[in-house]
Amino acid sequence: KQWYQRRVRGIKTSGQYTALQSRGSGRPRAGIMIHRNLIKNTWIVDKLSNEDTTTILLKHGNSNLVISSMYMDRDQECPPPLLAEIAKYGKNANLGLVIGTDANAHHQQWNSTIKDPKGKQRGECLLDAIVEQDLFLCNEGTQPTFDNGRWTNIIDLTLINSKMLDHVQKWKVKRTGCKSDHIPILFGIEMTGTASHKTFKNYKKTEWDKYRELVQSRTENSMILKAEINSEADLESATNELTRILLESANDCCPTTHVTSNTKDPPWATEEVKKKKKKKKKKKKKK
């Protein structure tokens, strides 16, 4: 593929950043802005990029990170097949992955307002894919990520893989001087220091038969749930008891997974590739 760098209109960067986008058969609708101090350590992943998706490999210190910007067209398949390929690439190469996407999909999981049946269906399909590909949603809160003056919603998502669970920090939606109807999403990525470990519940591996048995047994033996409900206080007490039973049963039936954020060079980053890249840089400087 052909690639080009340019500044992005509407965003003042004082020459500090350039944008990487694909120049394919159509107009590019996704890109990644890179600071000039990082551009020399950035590789374009051609096979994981097209007009609507830009994927790069960024080397920072001793860490490698896959970053992808993806536009999900409302009139096309949701999610696009490339999402699974990108997730697989990060997993197979043992790399951290961050995906920023304009999903055009509605789901309560990310506090999006259901605007229409199509948006709802797209949201359900996207959530299924997120779970299937072992990705995690960073979005927090209810502040809209989109505001065109007529309606607002949360349709811009930040997805990561398990390698990044320790490293994405302070995710937030913040209005700035940007003129786009998509409100900027800000977060930090901390890749320095020793790798930390984190645990999370992998609900895909839940023992559902055991879960049903535990819920049934615990509800039948609960004195609070057996008692009559005669007031709002009784109803609240019963609700809290049922919630406790459901959560405890889920924790007992869902295995805890330990993840680490150690990363390594991708398999293709051989010494020969590095030498050729240095040689290419020297030729550019001479021009």
Side-chain angles (χ1 to χ4, degrees):
K1 294 182 185 299
Q2 293 181 314
W3 292 84
Y4 68 97
Q5 303 174 16
R6 70 175 186 180
R7 295 182 182 180
V8 178
R9 292 181 180 179
I11 301 179
K12 297 180 180 180
T13 61
S14 303
Q16 297 283 327
Y17 297 84
T18 55
L20 297 179
Q21 294 176 303
S22 171
R23 181 180 288 171
S25 58
R27 179 175 64 89
R29 297 189 289 184
I32 297 177
M33 297 187 68
I34 298 292
H35 192 275
R36 62 185 182 184
N37 292 340
L38 298 176
I39 196 71
K40 63 181 181 179
N41 294 320
T42 302
W43 289 265
I44 302 297
V45 186
D46 288 342
K47 66 179 181 179
L48 300 178
S49 303
N50 56 31
E51 291 79 4
D52 289 342
T53 301
T54 299
T55 302
I56 66 171
L57 179 72
L58 175 65
K59 184 176 179 61
H60 184 60
N62 296 322
S63 301
N64 290 304
L65 176 64
V66 179
I67 302 176
S68 185
S69 173
M70 178 177 289
Y71 173 71
M72 299 187 186
D73 193 315
R74 180 176 167 84
D75 295 323
Q76 296 180 11
E77 181 181 359
C78 181
L82 209 53
L83 178 67
E85 295 180 29
I86 293 170
K88 183 179 179 181
Y89 175 83
K91 183 177 182 179
N92 291 345
N94 196 30
L95 297 172
L97 170 65
V98 178
I99 301 173
T101 178
D102 173 5
N104 285 310
H106 311 155
H107 201 285
Q108 294 178 348
Q109 185 67 34
W110 48 86
N111 294 318
S112 176
T113 303
I114 308 300
K115 293 292 185 179
D116 54 69
K118 185 174 184 178
K120 179 181 179 181
Q121 182 181 23
R122 287 175 59 85
E124 292 174 350
C125 291
L126 179 56
L127 182 60
D128 289 342
I130 291 173
V131 174
E132 182 179 351
Q133 300 302 326
D134 291 324
L135 297 175
F136 299 84
L137 186 67
C138 293
N139 289 54
E140 298 178 2
T142 58
Q143 185 171 344
T145 65
F146 178 84
D147 183 353
N148 64 0
R150 300 188 304 275
W151 60 277
T152 63
N153 209 346
I154 299 175
I155 57 175
D156 301 280
L157 310 179
T158 305
L159 307 175
I160 61 174
N161 64 4
S162 60
K163 300 287 291 184
M164 296 304 296
L165 286 173
D166 298 328
H167 299 300
V168 174
Q169 304 171 354
K170 299 179 180 179
W171 189 99
K172 61 182 177 181
V173 181
K174 185 175 182 179
R175 291 185 178 273
T176 64
C178 180
K179 298 178 181 180
S180 172
D181 47 15
H182 290 267
I183 305 169
I185 293 173
L186 305 180
F187 57 89
I189 299 178
E190 177 58 56
M191 300 298 291
T192 60
T194 57
S196 57
H197 296 266
K198 188 171 183 177
T199 61
F200 69 97
K201 290 290 185 179
N202 188 348
Y203 289 103
K204 287 181 65 177
K205 297 183 179 180
T206 300
E207 300 177 57
W208 291 110
D209 289 337
K210 180 181 177 181
Y211 173 76
R212 295 185 187 94
E213 292 177 2
L214 286 178
V215 171
Q216 182 177 354
S217 174
R218 289 170 177 175
T219 52
E220 290 177 351
N221 295 324
S222 172
M223 299 303 296
I224 295 178
L225 295 180
K226 288 181 179 180
E228 292 185 4
I229 297 177
N230 299 314
S231 64
E232 290 185 5
D234 292 340
L235 178 59
E236 183 177 357
S237 178
T239 301
N240 292 336
E241 174 70 358
L242 180 57
T243 301
R244 181 190 66 80
I245 290 175
L246 294 176
L247 291 176
E248 288 185 357
S249 299
N251 287 332
D252 291 341
C253 300
C254 180
T256 299
T257 301
H258 297 267
V259 295
T260 179
S261 300
N262 285 320
T263 57
K264 61 181 181 181
D265 283 342
W268 52 263
T270 62
E271 288 300 322
E272 183 181 356
V273 171
K274 294 176 182 178
K275 288 180 181 179
K276 287 184 177 180
K277 189 172 182 180
K278 288 181 180 180
K279 188 176 181 180
K280 187 176 181 181
K281 289 179 182 178
K282 289 181 181 179
K283 288 183 179 179
K284 287 184 177 180
K285 288 182 179 180
K286 289 182 181 179
K287 292 180 181 179

